[in-house]
Amino acid sequence: MDEKQLLENLVKGGLLSEETSQKLQKEAALMGRRVEDLIYERHAAPEEGVAQIKSSLIKIPYRKINLESINKDILANISIDTARTYKVIPIEKTKDTLIVGMVYPDDSQAQEALRFVAKQQKINLGVYLITPGDFDLVFRRYSPYKDEVEAAVRSLRLTPGRGVSHGQKLIQLEAGVAVAEEAPIIKLVASTLKEAVNLMASDIHIEPQRSSLRIRFRINGNLQEMSQMPLELHQPIISRIKVMANLKLDENRVPQDGRFRSIVFGRDIDFRIATFPTPVGEKVAIRVLDPTVGLKDLDALGLRGKNAELVKEAIEKPYGLILISGPTGSGKTTTLYALLQMLNKESTNVVSLEDPVEYFIDGINQSQVRPEIGYDFASGLRQILRQDPDTIMVGEIRDMETAQLTIHAALTGHIVFSTIHTNNAVGVIPRLIDMKVDSFLIPSAVNLMMSQRLISLLCQKCKKKEPVPAKVAEIIRKELEKLPAPEKAKIKEKENYIYHSTGCQECNNRGVAGRMAIFELLKMTPELKAIINEGLTEARVEEEARRQGMVTLRQDGIFKALDGLIAIEEVLRETTE
């Protein structure tokens, strides 16, 4: 397929800008990669739109996958290794024909592999073009993880009850003789990491208990137990992870931090390692940083309608500070990256200070602070100003010095993004003043204040609508009364139903399929400037927020719950009146 033709058609169809098209073409040539891969990885255009245009160019029909029709018997027709290597999955099988979905049906190596499969099974082949997203959904149905754990345990021939317990180390005189025992451990750790990426887990917890080793994944914000293993596997597994992260093997008394990168399912994944000593041995937490999951556009984040317009308006200004607030784990960094990507152009110099760098983004100059050697946010910010930046991202405003430097950077002609810990958008300005920022500087420096929380996204395949319970209906009514007329009208147009997901094959019976943020946004106005200069109180800021027609966290959550995106119960649990 002519990649230039694909880009031209995407530009003509309004799915890609001319500037982005040229940038992708240059980068693909420089990196020796498919333009198509970069489009999908960076969410530069909607997957379905790209697939439909590609389908018309290569004359292979596009098909949307129906997960309910795919079971283990169908998956057995193509091995997991073939599926992973060539991005091909079986969709359907009749007596003499196997229908497959391919992300790259024009790949000659993939075609050759399929011909071999057809020859082996003595069947005909039918081919459809599918999107990478649909491929990933089906690929997750291959679940060899539990089998691999059992196989590794069996191959090690462990004797139950001979492991480490209650912090006492059992010394084996001939330890290290049977080097072959390392192979199952290496495979076991690799399988665990792959399964975490496969299930889109954000964290892996490897935890020694009194009589067993527990492995849990954090999926969609909740921890789920994935495996219980003999305690004897604890030390070999921890040692393997330490080797990969270049940590000290003989140090288990104090916590250690490290990281490593690996290619998993064709994606460049970062793994961040943190060890923690406990009475029964070291616990390890692994943060899984997958750019295909963590890098999103505004719509995927949950910034829509008026809120999205406010953000676009703020970042189009020539200078000023955009502050995002929320508790730990509320998705602030993901929002920062989404905003940075909007300004990541060839004509701008984007520089970031992070702790740590979570996702590597081409085109952005990212730097990790190291407080232990004196390179913190404050000292790093002084250096950034010497790097001729247009856009600056400061990972977090933690102290008075960083707050003051960030404000001054915004006043000297730069767009600045950062995060701050407050309960809501209204609390951002009092927090800055508490950090000894001169109040008269704030109106000129700050463009926009945002607050956010993460809520589980309901599986859209199995969600069912239900009448709103009386108590919940009363809460919705009270929130409606606080809204300005235009926003109130939007809710009144919606059906008076809430939604719950029961679980299905597509969501692995979890009922949720990722997470979405709820937001509240407060912009700087002449009225707010007057409040700050005349004598700031939180009550007056709240009054100004209402005058602006600010949609609160709870109200934004209610909008999305009535749209069937999230559960109303979680909205009420995560927000206040």
Side-chain angles (χ1 to χ4, degrees):
M1 182 188 67
D2 186 344
E3 292 191 329
K4 195 172 180 183
Q5 198 177 1
L6 174 65
L7 287 170
E8 284 172 0
N9 278 269
L10 289 171
V11 172
K12 279 181 193 172
L15 299 177
L16 213 60
S17 68
E18 184 63 47
E19 184 187 5
T20 305
S21 169
Q22 290 174 5
K23 185 180 177 183
L24 288 167
Q25 208 168 348
K26 284 180 189 174
E27 289 185 20
L30 190 67
M31 298 161 72
R33 297 186 62 194
R34 292 186 184 98
V35 165
E36 199 181 340
D37 283 349
L38 297 182
I39 292 171
Y40 288 136
E41 278 178 20
R42 295 174 189 181
H43 307 285
E47 284 191 353
E48 201 162 329
V50 176
Q52 285 169 345
I53 286 174
K54 182 180 175 180
S55 171
S56 65
L57 291 174
I58 64 176
K59 310 300 180 194
I60 291 174
Y62 162 71
R63 181 164 169 178
K64 182 75 180 163
I65 297 295
N66 177 16
L67 275 176
E68 290 180 3
S69 64
I70 297 172
N71 55 38
K72 285 190 176 181
D73 292 336
I74 290 174
L75 291 177
N77 288 283
I78 291 179
S79 72
I80 187 171
D81 291 329
T82 301
R84 181 189 299 123
T85 304
Y86 301 108
K87 300 279 185 183
V88 53
I89 41 104
I91 297 173
E92 197 180 309
K93 189 179 182 184
T94 61
K95 189 176 180 182
D96 57 354
T97 305
L98 178 64
I99 307 294
V100 299
M102 301 179 72
V103 177
Y104 305 111
D106 48 339
D107 184 329
S108 58
Q109 288 183 321
Q111 291 168 1
E112 186 60 40
L114 274 183
R115 279 194 286 271
F116 177 74
V117 169
K119 191 175 177 182
Q120 259 193 334
Q121 299 186 20
K122 296 177 182 175
I123 53 173
N124 299 315
L125 280 173
V127 176
Y128 282 97
L129 173 69
I130 61 171
T131 63
D134 276 356
F135 169 81
D136 288 340
L137 282 173
V138 177
F139 189 77
R140 287 186 204 119
R141 295 291 178 83
Y142 290 98
S143 296
Y145 179 58
K146 288 182 181 177
D147 296 337
E148 287 174 359
V149 169
E150 288 173 9
V153 172
R154 281 198 304 272
S155 68
L156 288 166
R157 297 190 181 93
L158 299 174
T159 305
R162 290 294 181 90
V164 179
S165 183
H166 304 285
Q168 296 175 331
K169 186 175 181 182
L170 181 67
I171 305 299
Q172 295 186 11
L173 298 178
E174 296 181 356
V177 173
V179 179
E181 285 189 3
E182 290 178 13
I185 296 298
I186 291 170
K187 189 174 180 181
L188 185 56
V189 171
S191 297
T192 302
L193 298 178
K194 287 176 185 175
E195 184 72 356
V197 173
N198 186 28
L199 295 175
M200 295 192 292
S202 62
D203 300 87
I204 305 167
H205 291 260
I206 300 171
E207 305 163 315
Q209 308 293 295
R210 292 171 67 183
S211 57
S212 65
L213 177 66
R214 179 172 68 174
I215 294 184
R216 294 191 291 172
F217 291 175
R218 189 176 292 280
I219 302 171
N220 297 325
N222 297 314
L223 279 171
Q224 299 177 21
E225 186 174 299
M226 303 304 296
S227 182
Q228 283 270 3
M229 301 182 188
L231 192 58
E232 291 83 354
L233 291 176
H234 169 249
Q235 196 55 53
I237 286 174
I238 299 299
S239 296
R240 171 61 185 162
I241 292 167
K242 283 184 171 182
V243 167
M244 295 168 83
N246 200 25
L247 301 179
K248 294 176 183 176
L249 288 172
D250 57 347
E251 180 57 84
N252 55 19
R253 300 163 300 170
V254 295
Q256 296 186 70
D257 291 318
R259 69 189 301 165
F260 63 89
R261 292 167 63 195
S262 185
I263 304 297
V264 182
F265 307 140
R267 306 202 293 271
D268 194 351
I269 309 293
D270 244 15
F271 296 97
R272 236 173 48 213
I273 314 300
T275 68
F276 184 74
T278 76
V280 289
E282 284 179 288
K283 175 191 184 301
V284 169
I286 304 174
R287 171 63 56 88
V288 182
L289 299 169
D290 182 350
T292 61
V293 175
L295 298 179
K296 299 178 179 179
D297 59 22
L298 294 189
D299 188 64
L301 286 172
L303 268 169
R304 298 171 180 182
K306 182 187 173 184
N307 283 348
E309 288 167 17
L310 284 172
V311 168
K312 287 171 185 172
E313 180 189 309
I315 65 175
E316 282 169 5
K317 290 186 177 179
Y319 61 87
L321 174 61
I322 296 173
L323 276 169
I324 305 172
S325 74
T328 303
S330 60
K332 299 188 298 294
T333 305
T334 302
T335 302
L336 280 179
Y337 280 128
L339 298 178
L340 282 184
Q341 286 187 103
M342 292 175 72
L343 295 172
N344 184 16
K345 298 174 183 173
E346 197 173 320
S347 58
T348 59
N349 178 22
V350 183
V351 189
S352 77
L353 269 179
E354 304 174 49
D355 184 19
V357 174
E358 293 204 7
Y359 300 105
F360 294 97
I361 306 173
D362 291 326
I364 294 177
N365 303 291
Q366 296 169 269
S367 181
Q368 179 166 328
V369 299
R370 298 190 180 279
E372 67 274 12
I373 58 170
Y375 181 50
D376 55 15
F377 282 120
S379 60
L381 197 44
R382 288 194 185 90
Q383 294 302 320
I384 275 184
L385 294 171
R386 298 172 189 168
Q387 290 294 316
D388 184 31
D390 297 296
T391 303
I392 299 169
M393 190 262 261
V394 181
E396 187 182 344
I397 294 177
R398 295 176 180 170
D399 53 55
M400 182 175 70
E401 190 178 9
T402 306
Q404 292 171 345
L405 286 167
T406 303
I407 291 288
H408 283 287
L411 287 169
T412 51
H414 306 95
I415 287 283
V416 184
F417 299 100
S418 191
T419 68
I420 192 166
H421 282 284
T422 65
N423 291 328
N424 50 34
V426 169
V428 169
I429 294 172
R431 178 73 179 127
L432 288 174
I433 292 172
D434 186 50
M435 287 181 161
K436 310 301 180 194
V437 173
D438 292 326
S439 61
F440 65 87
L441 295 176
I442 293 173
S444 303
V446 178
N447 288 345
L448 188 67
M449 293 145 280
M450 302 169 60
S451 184
Q452 67 179 82
R453 301 288 187 278
L454 280 180
I455 307 288
S456 297
L457 186 63
L458 294 176
C459 173
Q460 299 301 293
K461 191 80 175 175
C462 61
K463 73 175 183 183
K464 289 182 171 59
K465 64 182 182 180
E466 303 169 7
V468 184
K471 283 186 180 179
V472 175
E474 180 61 20
I475 293 170
I476 292 174
R477 188 191 63 75
K478 283 182 180 176
E479 291 299 327
L480 265 174
E481 293 304 317
K482 301 174 190 174
L483 283 170
E487 300 298 329
K488 198 181 294 187
K490 285 181 192 175
I491 286 193
K492 283 184 175 175
E493 287 169 11
K494 298 177 190 297
E495 290 185 283
N496 201 21
Y497 289 100
I498 57 171
Y499 295 79
H500 293 100
S501 295
T502 53
C504 63
Q505 284 188 326
E506 187 159 336
C507 61
N508 286 330
N509 294 312
R510 290 196 297 263
V512 293
R515 288 189 288 174
M516 173 178 272
I518 54 174
F519 294 92
E520 63 181 27
L521 279 74
L522 179 67
K523 71 174 182 178
M524 186 59 67
T525 60
E527 292 83 359
L528 184 55
K529 178 179 179 179
I531 290 169
I532 295 168
N533 290 334
E534 290 167 8
L536 180 83
T537 64
E538 201 157 312
R540 292 188 70 192
V541 178
E542 284 174 0
E543 190 179 318
E544 165 60 13
R546 282 193 294 274
R547 190 202 65 78
Q548 286 185 24
M550 183 185 85
V551 176
T552 66
L553 287 168
R554 175 163 283 200
Q555 290 161 355
D556 189 40
I558 288 171
F559 273 126
K560 287 166 181 167
L562 293 176
D563 276 336
L565 297 171
I566 56 182
I568 189 74
E569 292 83 2
E570 193 170 356
V571 171
L572 300 180
R573 189 169 62 246
E574 292 293 328
T575 61
T576 56
E577 293 182 30

